[in-house]
Amino acid sequence: MEHLKWWQKAVFYQIYPRSFADGNGDGIGDFKGMIEKLDYLKDLGIDAIWLSPHYPSPQFDCGYDIADYTAVDPQYGTMEDFEQFMDGCHQRGIRLILDLVLNHTSHLHQWFKESRSSHSHPKRDWYIWKDGKNGGPPNNWYSSFGGSAWEYDTLTDQYYYHFFFKEQPDLNWRNPAVIKAMFDVARFWLKMGVDGFRLDALGTIFEHPDIPDHAVKFSQLELGRKFLQAKTEEEREELGKYWEEMFKYQFNQPGIHALFKGLRQVLDEFPDRMMVAEDDDIAYMGNGQDEMDLVVNFPLMRTDQITPAWIRQNQSKRLAGLAKVSPNAWPCNTLGNHDSPRLYSRFGDGAHDAELARLNLALMLTLKGTPFLYNGEEIGMTDLMLDNIQKFRDMAGVWEYTMLTKELDMPTEQALQTVSQRTRDKNRTPMQWRNAPNAGFSPAGIDTWLPVNPNYTQGVNVADQKKDAASLLSFYKHLLKLRKETPALIGGDFQVLAGDSQQALAFLRRSPHQTCLVVLNYSDQAFSLDASTAGNKVKTLFSSIDDNSRISLSKDVKVKPYEVFIGQLL
Ligand code: GLC
């Protein structure tokens, strides 16, 4: 345990600032609100916070379009508020990492304004400007959010490149001045005392310098139509290959690892800082020391159903891959964030959602590696389907709605239904604090930036669950505490038992002085396990169903339907 770094031991909690807590009562989350909730976070038992962007932004991509990297968005407060929040975290032993968005800025960033202004401006080459071809854009590349990746600018009669929205022009990372400016941004926050960064969208930082056309014969719209018509997972997988082909010159281009080795050196100018990549490619860990500390295990959540077999297959591949990076390469697991459906909705089955949420949370806290939790997960917040396109704030959803209705002739009702299931708004609604108007997020009568999920009246809120020892929140707190007190759950290795069970996931976590047994029964049948190879008896450390003081013979460990069982071998 002692040899582990803080970020290997920590449980991270993502705060989405617009939706966490509204301190000034204007319907939007802010630092004042976050500061008021610091004791809540301490009490919950998390160790570190990943804060989604808090920088000034015109909010075309909910803050991921940054207009000034070294300031605080006035909607969220002032720099003093930020510092107060950071200090408040540190005083409570909670670390704080920020979102570092390198690929692009906002089109309203001063750098882009200058770059746009003329061909000869010294910042012209900070972005990617090209001449058009045959009266159209420079090539056939697309933006991942829809439409051409090129936006024509009348001012200088050229096109600029944007992988995301046109309001998010890509920086030209082949320009050393850009590298210097952005590395200085990192230094600015590190000097102030933040503990590291979550690196946003890193695969798209470089594009092929010759900008060759992709070779896919149909358009993005046609591909979208085929996706909508696809009936099976296989069909979708097949279509996914076209998608990859379409974007192949816009992803993972040479130069990226050298860049991150440089950024690592910037972090290493300061003691004890970390970086986690929003990507699943463990190549971003370099040799295990010279790039990212963590790369998120996104493959685990790319399924509609978390099953024991799926988890085992994922872990075996992931852990083997990490071992090749370096013997110390550390895993990082998550099942939800501001871009993905809420895990309660996504991985529920409609009949046992509460049980499955507990199993999946226990999975996060017992697998080997650093867990990332998403705010609201701890009270079982669910996706909210928006019933009116005017309420959408995720412009990707609005774009899709327009395409479906205008280009693919889908009836508006059906389009709304399709898009409300896919938009990221559904999983970004305000945190539900109490059974009070607006769920206690904002005062009564205030229009919150996204609607509040009405299920706060049915117990999906912090205050009610705090009082209830059987609530999901209490379960979270209990497991977070147990993890902290159980070295094997943090540092132990991972060994699967009953490797062909379809019912339950069973594994050992072994550290030099402690071996734990974890059994997650994902089925409605009782499960029994022979764990005698690991010891004679098992003392229960935690059970979601049974009493917590059991000692059983390890050759016959009995686990009830949907039970979370954590024991220590004696
Ligand atoms: C990342 C963010 C996402 C954002 C995108 C573009 O994927 O998580 O919210 O839209 O980058 O910045």
Side-chain angles (χ1 to χ4, degrees), residues 281-290 292-293 295 318-330:
D281 186 356
I282 52 181
Y284 287 119
M285 296 174 98
N287 68 9
Q289 308 230 295
D290 60 354
M292 300 292 149
D293 297 300
V295 168
R318 194 76 183 170
L319 295 175
L322 287 168
K324 283 192 211 137
V325 170
S326 111
N328 302 322
W330 197 250

mmCIF file with all atom_site columns, all heavy atoms in Angstrom, residues 281-290 292-293 295 318-330:
data_model
loop_
_atom_site.group_PDB
_atom_site.id
_atom_site.type_symbol
_atom_site.label_atom_id
_atom_site.label_alt_id
_atom_site.label_comp_id
_atom_site.label_asym_id
_atom_site.label_entity_id
_atom_site.label_seq_id
_atom_site.pdbx_PDB_ins_code
_atom_site.Cartn_x
_atom_site.Cartn_y
_atom_site.Cartn_z
_atom_site.occupancy
_atom_site.B_iso_or_equiv
_atom_site.pdbx_formal_charge
_atom_site.auth_seq_id
_atom_site.auth_comp_id
_atom_site.auth_asym_id
_atom_site.auth_atom_id
_atom_site.pdbx_PDB_model_num
ATOM 1   N N   . ASP A 1 281 ? -7.095 3.744  -25.193 1.00 0.00 ? 281 ASP A N   1
ATOM 2   C CA  . ASP A 1 281 ? -5.881 3.173  -25.754 1.00 0.00 ? 281 ASP A CA  1
ATOM 3   C C   . ASP A 1 281 ? -4.723 3.276  -24.757 1.00 0.00 ? 281 ASP A C   1
ATOM 4   O O   . ASP A 1 281 ? -4.210 4.371  -24.482 1.00 0.00 ? 281 ASP A O   1
ATOM 5   C CB  . ASP A 1 281 ? -5.542 3.916  -27.042 1.00 0.00 ? 281 ASP A CB  1
ATOM 6   C CG  . ASP A 1 281 ? -4.371 3.298  -27.763 1.00 0.00 ? 281 ASP A CG  1
ATOM 7   O OD1 . ASP A 1 281 ? -3.777 2.341  -27.214 1.00 0.00 ? 281 ASP A OD1 1
ATOM 8   O OD2 . ASP A 1 281 ? -4.039 3.775  -28.857 1.00 0.00 ? 281 ASP A OD2 1
ATOM 9   N N   . ILE A 1 282 ? -4.293 2.128  -24.249 1.00 0.00 ? 282 ILE A N   1
ATOM 10  C CA  . ILE A 1 282 ? -3.260 2.173  -23.211 1.00 0.00 ? 282 ILE A CA  1
ATOM 11  C C   . ILE A 1 282 ? -1.893 2.570  -23.757 1.00 0.00 ? 282 ILE A C   1
ATOM 12  O O   . ILE A 1 282 ? -0.960 2.791  -22.985 1.00 0.00 ? 282 ILE A O   1
ATOM 13  C CB  . ILE A 1 282 ? -3.171 0.855  -22.401 1.00 0.00 ? 282 ILE A CB  1
ATOM 14  C CG1 . ILE A 1 282 ? -3.037 -0.325 -23.345 1.00 0.00 ? 282 ILE A CG1 1
ATOM 15  C CG2 . ILE A 1 282 ? -4.379 0.688  -21.507 1.00 0.00 ? 282 ILE A CG2 1
ATOM 16  C CD1 . ILE A 1 282 ? -2.966 -1.651 -22.611 1.00 0.00 ? 282 ILE A CD1 1
ATOM 17  N N   . ALA A 1 283 ? -1.796 2.721  -25.081 1.00 0.00 ? 283 ALA A N   1
ATOM 18  C CA  . ALA A 1 283 ? -0.546 3.254  -25.639 1.00 0.00 ? 283 ALA A CA  1
ATOM 19  C C   . ALA A 1 283 ? -0.261 4.642  -25.056 1.00 0.00 ? 283 ALA A C   1
ATOM 20  O O   . ALA A 1 283 ? 0.888  5.078  -24.996 1.00 0.00 ? 283 ALA A O   1
ATOM 21  C CB  . ALA A 1 283 ? -0.639 3.324  -27.156 1.00 0.00 ? 283 ALA A CB  1
ATOM 22  N N   . TYR A 1 284 ? -1.325 5.332  -24.598 1.00 0.00 ? 284 TYR A N   1
ATOM 23  C CA  . TYR A 1 284 ? -1.133 6.667  -24.014 1.00 0.00 ? 284 TYR A CA  1
ATOM 24  C C   . TYR A 1 284 ? -0.427 6.629  -22.660 1.00 0.00 ? 284 TYR A C   1
ATOM 25  O O   . TYR A 1 284 ? -0.169 7.665  -22.065 1.00 0.00 ? 284 TYR A O   1
ATOM 26  C CB  . TYR A 1 284 ? -2.470 7.401  -23.868 1.00 0.00 ? 284 TYR A CB  1
ATOM 27  C CG  . TYR A 1 284 ? -3.020 7.866  -25.193 1.00 0.00 ? 284 TYR A CG  1
ATOM 28  C CD1 . TYR A 1 284 ? -4.242 7.401  -25.663 1.00 0.00 ? 284 TYR A CD1 1
ATOM 29  C CD2 . TYR A 1 284 ? -2.306 8.765  -25.977 1.00 0.00 ? 284 TYR A CD2 1
ATOM 30  C CE1 . TYR A 1 284 ? -4.742 7.816  -26.886 1.00 0.00 ? 284 TYR A CE1 1
ATOM 31  C CE2 . TYR A 1 284 ? -2.798 9.182  -27.202 1.00 0.00 ? 284 TYR A CE2 1
ATOM 32  C CZ  . TYR A 1 284 ? -4.016 8.704  -27.651 1.00 0.00 ? 284 TYR A CZ  1
ATOM 33  O OH  . TYR A 1 284 ? -4.492 9.116  -28.862 1.00 0.00 ? 284 TYR A OH  1
ATOM 34  N N   . MET A 1 285 ? -0.151 5.426  -22.177 1.00 0.00 ? 285 MET A N   1
ATOM 35  C CA  . MET A 1 285 ? 0.608  5.352  -20.922 1.00 0.00 ? 285 MET A CA  1
ATOM 36  C C   . MET A 1 285 ? 2.107  5.321  -21.206 1.00 0.00 ? 285 MET A C   1
ATOM 37  O O   . MET A 1 285 ? 2.916  5.280  -20.276 1.00 0.00 ? 285 MET A O   1
ATOM 38  C CB  . MET A 1 285 ? 0.174  4.129  -20.117 1.00 0.00 ? 285 MET A CB  1
ATOM 39  C CG  . MET A 1 285 ? -1.277 4.234  -19.690 1.00 0.00 ? 285 MET A CG  1
ATOM 40  S SD  . MET A 1 285 ? -1.886 2.755  -18.888 1.00 0.00 ? 285 MET A SD  1
ATOM 41  C CE  . MET A 1 285 ? -1.718 3.218  -17.174 1.00 0.00 ? 285 MET A CE  1
ATOM 42  N N   . GLY A 1 286 ? 2.491  5.332  -22.467 1.00 0.00 ? 286 GLY A N   1
ATOM 43  C CA  . GLY A 1 286 ? 3.911  5.327  -22.825 1.00 0.00 ? 286 GLY A CA  1
ATOM 44  C C   . GLY A 1 286 ? 4.601  4.116  -22.218 1.00 0.00 ? 286 GLY A C   1
ATOM 45  O O   . GLY A 1 286 ? 4.091  2.988  -22.333 1.00 0.00 ? 286 GLY A O   1
ATOM 46  N N   . ASN A 1 287 ? 5.707  4.354  -21.530 1.00 0.00 ? 287 ASN A N   1
ATOM 47  C CA  . ASN A 1 287 ? 6.404  3.228  -20.888 1.00 0.00 ? 287 ASN A CA  1
ATOM 48  C C   . ASN A 1 287 ? 5.911  3.027  -19.453 1.00 0.00 ? 287 ASN A C   1
ATOM 49  O O   . ASN A 1 287 ? 6.518  2.309  -18.674 1.00 0.00 ? 287 ASN A O   1
ATOM 50  C CB  . ASN A 1 287 ? 7.923  3.437  -20.922 1.00 0.00 ? 287 ASN A CB  1
ATOM 51  C CG  . ASN A 1 287 ? 8.353  4.602  -20.028 1.00 0.00 ? 287 ASN A CG  1
ATOM 52  O OD1 . ASN A 1 287 ? 7.554  5.149  -19.262 1.00 0.00 ? 287 ASN A OD1 1
ATOM 53  N ND2 . ASN A 1 287 ? 9.606  4.987  -20.114 1.00 0.00 ? 287 ASN A ND2 1
ATOM 54  N N   . GLY A 1 288 ? 4.815  3.694  -19.111 1.00 0.00 ? 288 GLY A N   1
ATOM 55  C CA  . GLY A 1 288 ? 4.257  3.548  -17.762 1.00 0.00 ? 288 GLY A CA  1
ATOM 56  C C   . GLY A 1 288 ? 4.673  4.709  -16.858 1.00 0.00 ? 288 GLY A C   1
ATOM 57  O O   . GLY A 1 288 ? 4.109  4.899  -15.783 1.00 0.00 ? 288 GLY A O   1
ATOM 58  N N   . GLN A 1 289 ? 5.608  5.511  -17.338 1.00 0.00 ? 289 GLN A N   1
ATOM 59  C CA  . GLN A 1 289 ? 6.094  6.630  -16.522 1.00 0.00 ? 289 GLN A CA  1
ATOM 60  C C   . GLN A 1 289 ? 6.122  7.939  -17.294 1.00 0.00 ? 289 GLN A C   1
ATOM 61  O O   . GLN A 1 289 ? 6.163  9.000  -16.692 1.00 0.00 ? 289 GLN A O   1
ATOM 62  C CB  . GLN A 1 289 ? 7.531  6.368  -16.099 1.00 0.00 ? 289 GLN A CB  1
ATOM 63  C CG  . GLN A 1 289 ? 7.713  5.025  -15.460 1.00 0.00 ? 289 GLN A CG  1
ATOM 64  C CD  . GLN A 1 289 ? 8.454  5.137  -14.170 1.00 0.00 ? 289 GLN A CD  1
ATOM 65  O OE1 . GLN A 1 289 ? 9.614  5.518  -14.173 1.00 0.00 ? 289 GLN A OE1 1
ATOM 66  N NE2 . GLN A 1 289 ? 7.780  4.843  -13.089 1.00 0.00 ? 289 GLN A NE2 1
ATOM 67  N N   . ASP A 1 290 ? 6.138  7.843  -18.618 1.00 0.00 ? 290 ASP A N   1
ATOM 68  C CA  . ASP A 1 290 ? 6.471  9.058  -19.355 1.00 0.00 ? 290 ASP A CA  1
ATOM 69  C C   . ASP A 1 290 ? 5.301  9.689  -20.112 1.00 0.00 ? 290 ASP A C   1
ATOM 70  O O   . ASP A 1 290 ? 5.494  10.616 -20.883 1.00 0.00 ? 290 ASP A O   1
ATOM 71  C CB  . ASP A 1 290 ? 7.650  8.809  -20.295 1.00 0.00 ? 290 ASP A CB  1
ATOM 72  C CG  . ASP A 1 290 ? 7.372  7.719  -21.324 1.00 0.00 ? 290 ASP A CG  1
ATOM 73  O OD1 . ASP A 1 290 ? 6.300  7.083  -21.234 1.00 0.00 ? 290 ASP A OD1 1
ATOM 74  O OD2 . ASP A 1 290 ? 8.220  7.510  -22.196 1.00 0.00 ? 290 ASP A OD2 1
ATOM 75  N N   . MET A 1 292 ? 0.658  9.257  -19.759 1.00 0.00 ? 292 MET A N   1
ATOM 76  C CA  . MET A 1 292 ? -0.478 9.306  -18.826 1.00 0.00 ? 292 MET A CA  1
ATOM 77  C C   . MET A 1 292 ? -0.271 8.348  -17.649 1.00 0.00 ? 292 MET A C   1
ATOM 78  O O   . MET A 1 292 ? 0.327  7.288  -17.805 1.00 0.00 ? 292 MET A O   1
ATOM 79  C CB  . MET A 1 292 ? -1.761 8.863  -19.537 1.00 0.00 ? 292 MET A CB  1
ATOM 80  C CG  . MET A 1 292 ? -2.139 9.698  -20.711 1.00 0.00 ? 292 MET A CG  1
ATOM 81  S SD  . MET A 1 292 ? -2.619 11.336 -20.216 1.00 0.00 ? 292 MET A SD  1
ATOM 82  C CE  . MET A 1 292 ? -2.069 12.223 -21.669 1.00 0.00 ? 292 MET A CE  1
ATOM 83  N N   . ASP A 1 293 ? -0.847 8.712  -16.502 1.00 0.00 ? 293 ASP A N   1
ATOM 84  C CA  . ASP A 1 293 ? -0.855 7.783  -15.372 1.00 0.00 ? 293 ASP A CA  1
ATOM 85  C C   . ASP A 1 293 ? -1.980 6.768  -15.522 1.00 0.00 ? 293 ASP A C   1
ATOM 86  O O   . ASP A 1 293 ? -1.838 5.612  -15.162 1.00 0.00 ? 293 ASP A O   1
ATOM 87  C CB  . ASP A 1 293 ? -1.048 8.559  -14.066 1.00 0.00 ? 293 ASP A CB  1
ATOM 88  C CG  . ASP A 1 293 ? 0.114  9.498  -13.821 1.00 0.00 ? 293 ASP A CG  1
ATOM 89  O OD1 . ASP A 1 293 ? 1.245  9.010  -13.717 1.00 0.00 ? 293 ASP A OD1 1
ATOM 90  O OD2 . ASP A 1 293 ? -0.105 10.726 -13.774 1.00 0.00 ? 293 ASP A OD2 1
ATOM 91  N N   . VAL A 1 295 ? -5.464 5.524  -18.053 1.00 0.00 ? 295 VAL A N   1
ATOM 92  C CA  . VAL A 1 295 ? -6.255 5.580  -19.279 1.00 0.00 ? 295 VAL A CA  1
ATOM 93  C C   . VAL A 1 295 ? -7.539 4.817  -18.965 1.00 0.00 ? 295 VAL A C   1
ATOM 94  O O   . VAL A 1 295 ? -7.484 3.691  -18.477 1.00 0.00 ? 295 VAL A O   1
ATOM 95  C CB  . VAL A 1 295 ? -5.483 4.917  -20.443 1.00 0.00 ? 295 VAL A CB  1
ATOM 96  C CG1 . VAL A 1 295 ? -6.383 4.707  -21.635 1.00 0.00 ? 295 VAL A CG1 1
ATOM 97  C CG2 . VAL A 1 295 ? -4.272 5.760  -20.838 1.00 0.00 ? 295 VAL A CG2 1
ATOM 98  N N   . ARG A 1 318 ? -7.747 -6.441 -20.543 1.00 0.00 ? 318 ARG A N   1
ATOM 99  C CA  . ARG A 1 318 ? -7.224 -5.156 -20.078 1.00 0.00 ? 318 ARG A CA  1
ATOM 100 C C   . ARG A 1 318 ? -5.971 -5.342 -19.209 1.00 0.00 ? 318 ARG A C   1
ATOM 101 O O   . ARG A 1 318 ? -4.966 -4.662 -19.381 1.00 0.00 ? 318 ARG A O   1
ATOM 102 C CB  . ARG A 1 318 ? -8.327 -4.454 -19.260 1.00 0.00 ? 318 ARG A CB  1
ATOM 103 C CG  . ARG A 1 318 ? -8.073 -3.000 -18.987 1.00 0.00 ? 318 ARG A CG  1
ATOM 104 C CD  . ARG A 1 318 ? -8.345 -2.189 -20.216 1.00 0.00 ? 318 ARG A CD  1
ATOM 105 N NE  . ARG A 1 318 ? -8.052 -0.789 -20.005 1.00 0.00 ? 318 ARG A NE  1
ATOM 106 C CZ  . ARG A 1 318 ? -8.015 0.109  -20.974 1.00 0.00 ? 318 ARG A CZ  1
ATOM 107 N NH1 . ARG A 1 318 ? -8.269 -0.234 -22.211 1.00 0.00 ? 318 ARG A NH1 1
ATOM 108 N NH2 . ARG A 1 318 ? -7.733 1.368  -20.725 1.00 0.00 ? 318 ARG A NH2 1
ATOM 109 N N   . LEU A 1 319 ? -6.066 -6.248 -18.252 1.00 0.00 ? 319 LEU A N   1
ATOM 110 C CA  . LEU A 1 319 ? -4.943 -6.424 -17.328 1.00 0.00 ? 319 LEU A CA  1
ATOM 111 C C   . LEU A 1 319 ? -3.723 -6.985 -18.056 1.00 0.00 ? 319 LEU A C   1
ATOM 112 O O   . LEU A 1 319 ? -2.587 -6.600 -17.773 1.00 0.00 ? 319 LEU A O   1
ATOM 113 C CB  . LEU A 1 319 ? -5.352 -7.306 -16.144 1.00 0.00 ? 319 LEU A CB  1
ATOM 114 C CG  . LEU A 1 319 ? -6.442 -6.698 -15.242 1.00 0.00 ? 319 LEU A CG  1
ATOM 115 C CD1 . LEU A 1 319 ? -6.890 -7.679 -14.171 1.00 0.00 ? 319 LEU A CD1 1
ATOM 116 C CD2 . LEU A 1 319 ? -5.989 -5.393 -14.591 1.00 0.00 ? 319 LEU A CD2 1
ATOM 117 N N   . ALA A 1 320 ? -3.963 -7.865 -19.028 1.00 0.00 ? 320 ALA A N   1
ATOM 118 C CA  . ALA A 1 320 ? -2.836 -8.399 -19.802 1.00 0.00 ? 320 ALA A CA  1
ATOM 119 C C   . ALA A 1 320 ? -2.185 -7.272 -20.611 1.00 0.00 ? 320 ALA A C   1
ATOM 120 O O   . ALA A 1 320 ? -0.959 -7.179 -20.691 1.00 0.00 ? 320 ALA A O   1
ATOM 121 C CB  . ALA A 1 320 ? -3.317 -9.504 -20.726 1.00 0.00 ? 320 ALA A CB  1
ATOM 122 N N   . GLY A 1 321 ? -3.005 -6.409 -21.178 1.00 0.00 ? 321 GLY A N   1
ATOM 123 C CA  . GLY A 1 321 ? -2.477 -5.278 -21.947 1.00 0.00 ? 321 GLY A CA  1
ATOM 124 C C   . GLY A 1 321 ? -1.657 -4.350 -21.068 1.00 0.00 ? 321 GLY A C   1
ATOM 125 O O   . GLY A 1 321 ? -0.542 -3.948 -21.429 1.00 0.00 ? 321 GLY A O   1
ATOM 126 N N   . LEU A 1 322 ? -2.180 -4.054 -19.901 1.00 0.00 ? 322 LEU A N   1
ATOM 127 C CA  . LEU A 1 322 ? -1.464 -3.150 -18.983 1.00 0.00 ? 322 LEU A CA  1
ATOM 128 C C   . LEU A 1 322 ? -0.128 -3.755 -18.554 1.00 0.00 ? 322 LEU A C   1
ATOM 129 O O   . LEU A 1 322 ? 0.874  -3.045 -18.446 1.00 0.00 ? 322 LEU A O   1
ATOM 130 C CB  . LEU A 1 322 ? -2.328 -2.852 -17.755 1.00 0.00 ? 322 LEU A CB  1
ATOM 131 C CG  . LEU A 1 322 ? -3.515 -1.914 -18.004 1.00 0.00 ? 322 LEU A CG  1
ATOM 132 C CD1 . LEU A 1 322 ? -4.463 -1.920 -16.813 1.00 0.00 ? 322 LEU A CD1 1
ATOM 133 C CD2 . LEU A 1 322 ? -3.040 -0.491 -18.283 1.00 0.00 ? 322 LEU A CD2 1
ATOM 134 N N   . ALA A 1 323 ? -0.131 -5.062 -18.336 1.00 0.00 ? 323 ALA A N   1
ATOM 135 C CA  . ALA A 1 323 ? 1.109  -5.717 -17.893 1.00 0.00 ? 323 ALA A CA  1
ATOM 136 C C   . ALA A 1 323 ? 2.205  -5.530 -18.939 1.00 0.00 ? 323 ALA A C   1
ATOM 137 O O   . ALA A 1 323 ? 3.390  -5.486 -18.609 1.00 0.00 ? 323 ALA A O   1
ATOM 138 C CB  . ALA A 1 323 ? 0.854  -7.192 -17.632 1.00 0.00 ? 323 ALA A CB  1
ATOM 139 N N   . LYS A 1 324 ? 1.789  -5.423 -20.204 1.00 0.00 ? 324 LYS A N   1
ATOM 140 C CA  . LYS A 1 324 ? 2.801  -5.220 -21.254 1.00 0.00 ? 324 LYS A CA  1
ATOM 141 C C   . LYS A 1 324 ? 3.332  -3.787 -21.250 1.00 0.00 ? 324 LYS A C   1
ATOM 142 O O   . LYS A 1 324 ? 4.452  -3.531 -21.668 1.00 0.00 ? 324 LYS A O   1
ATOM 143 C CB  . LYS A 1 324 ? 2.194  -5.544 -22.621 1.00 0.00 ? 324 LYS A CB  1
ATOM 144 C CG  . LYS A 1 324 ? 2.103  -7.034 -22.853 1.00 0.00 ? 324 LYS A CG  1
ATOM 145 C CD  . LYS A 1 324 ? 1.773  -7.334 -24.305 1.00 0.00 ? 324 LYS A CD  1
ATOM 146 C CE  . LYS A 1 324 ? 0.976  -8.622 -24.383 1.00 0.00 ? 324 LYS A CE  1
ATOM 147 N NZ  . LYS A 1 324 ? -0.138 -8.574 -25.301 1.00 0.00 ? 324 LYS A NZ  1
ATOM 148 N N   . VAL A 1 325 ? 2.512  -2.848 -20.810 1.00 0.00 ? 325 VAL A N   1
ATOM 149 C CA  . VAL A 1 325 ? 2.982  -1.452 -20.733 1.00 0.00 ? 325 VAL A CA  1
ATOM 150 C C   . VAL A 1 325 ? 4.099  -1.358 -19.698 1.00 0.00 ? 325 VAL A C   1
ATOM 151 O O   . VAL A 1 325 ? 5.180  -0.849 -19.971 1.00 0.00 ? 325 VAL A O   1
ATOM 152 C CB  . VAL A 1 325 ? 1.823  -0.507 -20.345 1.00 0.00 ? 325 VAL A CB  1
ATOM 153 C CG1 . VAL A 1 325 ? 2.319  0.885  -20.011 1.00 0.00 ? 325 VAL A CG1 1
ATOM 154 C CG2 . VAL A 1 325 ? 0.792  -0.454 -21.462 1.00 0.00 ? 325 VAL A CG2 1
ATOM 155 N N   . SER A 1 326 ? 3.811  -1.866 -18.514 1.00 0.00 ? 326 SER A N   1
ATOM 156 C CA  . SER A 1 326 ? 4.824  -1.908 -17.455 1.00 0.00 ? 326 SER A CA  1
ATOM 157 C C   . SER A 1 326 ? 4.240  -2.726 -16.306 1.00 0.00 ? 326 SER A C   1
ATOM 158 O O   . SER A 1 326 ? 3.012  -2.792 -16.152 1.00 0.00 ? 326 SER A O   1
ATOM 159 C CB  . SER A 1 326 ? 5.175  -0.481 -16.995 1.00 0.00 ? 326 SER A CB  1
ATOM 160 O OG  . SER A 1 326 ? 4.721  -0.248 -15.693 1.00 0.00 ? 326 SER A OG  1
ATOM 161 N N   . PRO A 1 327 ? 5.090  -3.320 -15.478 1.00 0.00 ? 327 PRO A N   1
ATOM 162 C CA  . PRO A 1 327 ? 4.544  -4.129 -14.375 1.00 0.00 ? 327 PRO A CA  1
ATOM 163 C C   . PRO A 1 327 ? 3.700  -3.290 -13.414 1.00 0.00 ? 327 PRO A C   1
ATOM 164 O O   . PRO A 1 327 ? 2.857  -3.823 -12.701 1.00 0.00 ? 327 PRO A O   1
ATOM 165 C CB  . PRO A 1 327 ? 5.793  -4.661 -13.659 1.00 0.00 ? 327 PRO A CB  1
ATOM 166 C CG  . PRO A 1 327 ? 6.951  -4.357 -14.545 1.00 0.00 ? 327 PRO A CG  1
ATOM 167 C CD  . PRO A 1 327 ? 6.555  -3.325 -15.532 1.00 0.00 ? 327 PRO A CD  1
ATOM 168 N N   . ASN A 1 328 ? 3.914  -1.976 -13.415 1.00 0.00 ? 328 ASN A N   1
ATOM 169 C CA  . ASN A 1 328 ? 3.153  -1.139 -12.480 1.00 0.00 ? 328 ASN A CA  1
ATOM 170 C C   . ASN A 1 328 ? 1.996  -0.384 -13.114 1.00 0.00 ? 328 ASN A C   1
ATOM 171 O O   . ASN A 1 328 ? 1.349  0.420  -12.449 1.00 0.00 ? 328 ASN A O   1
ATOM 172 C CB  . ASN A 1 328 ? 4.086  -0.115 -11.821 1.00 0.00 ? 328 ASN A CB  1
ATOM 173 C CG  . ASN A 1 328 ? 5.224  -0.799 -11.108 1.00 0.00 ? 328 ASN A CG  1
ATOM 174 O OD1 . ASN A 1 328 ? 5.025  -1.852 -10.509 1.00 0.00 ? 328 ASN A OD1 1
ATOM 175 N ND2 . ASN A 1 328 ? 6.418  -0.235 -11.208 1.00 0.00 ? 328 ASN A ND2 1
ATOM 176 N N   . ALA A 1 329 ? 1.762  -0.604 -14.394 1.00 0.00 ? 329 ALA A N   1
ATOM 177 C CA  . ALA A 1 329 ? 0.681  0.158  -15.061 1.00 0.00 ? 329 ALA A CA  1
ATOM 178 C C   . ALA A 1 329 ? -0.640 -0.116 -14.347 1.00 0.00 ? 329 ALA A C   1
ATOM 179 O O   . ALA A 1 329 ? -0.973 -1.267 -14.059 1.00 0.00 ? 329 ALA A O   1
ATOM 180 C CB  . ALA A 1 329 ? 0.601  -0.230 -16.528 1.00 0.00 ? 329 ALA A CB  1
ATOM 181 N N   . TRP A 1 330 ? -1.360 0.937  -14.063 1.00 0.00 ? 330 TRP A N   1
ATOM 182 C CA  . TRP A 1 330 ? -2.499 0.842  -13.140 1.00 0.00 ? 330 TRP A CA  1
ATOM 183 C C   . TRP A 1 330 ? -3.828 0.952  -13.903 1.00 0.00 ? 330 TRP A C   1
ATOM 184 O O   . TRP A 1 330 ? -3.992 1.852  -14.728 1.00 0.00 ? 330 TRP A O   1
ATOM 185 C CB  . TRP A 1 330 ? -2.395 1.979  -12.118 1.00 0.00 ? 330 TRP A CB  1
ATOM 186 C CG  . TRP A 1 330 ? -3.236 1.791  -10.898 1.00 0.00 ? 330 TRP A CG  1
ATOM 187 C CD1 . TRP A 1 330 ? -4.349 2.497  -10.573 1.00 0.00 ? 330 TRP A CD1 1
ATOM 188 C CD2 . TRP A 1 330 ? -3.021 0.843  -9.850  1.00 0.00 ? 330 TRP A CD2 1
ATOM 189 N NE1 . TRP A 1 330 ? -4.848 2.047  -9.374  1.00 0.00 ? 330 TRP A NE1 1
ATOM 190 C CE2 . TRP A 1 330 ? -4.047 1.019  -8.908  1.00 0.00 ? 330 TRP A CE2 1
ATOM 191 C CE3 . TRP A 1 330 ? -2.069 -0.149 -9.610  1.00 0.00 ? 330 TRP A CE3 1
ATOM 192 C CZ2 . TRP A 1 330 ? -4.156 0.254  -7.754  1.00 0.00 ? 330 TRP A CZ2 1
ATOM 193 C CZ3 . TRP A 1 330 ? -2.171 -0.916 -8.451  1.00 0.00 ? 330 TRP A CZ3 1
ATOM 194 C CH2 . TRP A 1 330 ? -3.207 -0.703 -7.543  1.00 0.00 ? 330 TRP A CH2 1
#
